[in-house]
Amino acid sequence: MKVILLEDVKALGKKGQVVEVSDGYAKNFILKKKLGLEATGANMNDLKLQKAREEKLAQQQLDNAKELAAVLETKSVVVQIKAGEGGRTFGSVSSKEIAAAYKEQCDMEIDKKKIQLTDPIKTFGTFEVPIRLHPQVTGKLTVKVQEA
């Protein structure tokens, strides 16, 4: 019997796959526990429509991320930190502070977890900070660190 899996089943397949299983296994386990549906014509058509919808949604998210990356390229954020003797900084600028400054200055939110700082910024100057907006899209935000 052919079955469309509604969830991942260990040693059988992933969600959305059509697999061939024995009649008893399908009736007594997969269908009974609602892990899958019988692969009828109507169910196969529903599966195709669902996959097309998911692909369209994924493409839309990718396009939105590319647009946001283009917007980020044009913006810059100014972050001020205290300085001591000789122009040395007290503390550093973290991704949390960059996200807060971006929200305050540009009226848009960026998740601090998406800001990819390898190390906190500990000097004054201008820095390009990568921001991961989508698994395939990384934008760059210009951060200017100034003395308060």
Side-chain angles (χ1 to χ4, degrees), residues 73-137:
E73 301 282 331
T74 63
K75 305 249 180 181
S76 66
V77 174
V78 177
V79 178
Q80 296 184 340
I81 57 174
K82 292 182 181 178
E85 291 181 26
R88 299 200 59 191
T89 62
F90 284 132
S92 61
V93 178
S94 66
S95 59
K96 181 179 179 182
E97 293 165 328
I98 293 171
Y102 187 79
K103 182 178 180 183
E104 180 183 309
Q105 295 171 19
C106 300
D107 294 327
M108 288 178 62
E109 280 195 40
I110 292 181
D111 187 7
K112 68 180 181 180
K113 295 173 188 162
K114 294 183 181 207
I115 298 173
Q116 296 184 315
L117 280 177
T118 54
D119 295 317
I121 300 171
K122 296 183 178 183
T123 58
F124 297 114
T126 303
F127 301 91
E128 291 284 322
V129 178
I131 299 175
R132 188 154 192 118
L133 302 169
H134 188 271
Q136 300 172 0
V137 179

Side-chain angles (χ1 to χ4, degrees), residues 48-88:
K48 286 180 187 176
L49 292 174
Q50 183 179 3
K51 283 187 177 183
R53 191 173 339 126
E54 288 172 359
E55 287 175 14
K56 183 179 177 184
L57 183 63
Q59 184 62 40
Q60 189 176 25
Q61 288 175 344
L62 179 63
D63 292 342
N64 290 343
K66 286 180 180 177
E67 287 177 22
L68 186 56
V71 170
L72 283 176
E73 301 282 331
T74 63
K75 305 249 180 181
S76 66
V77 174
V78 177
V79 178
Q80 296 184 340
I81 57 174
K82 292 182 181 178
E85 291 181 26
R88 299 200 59 191

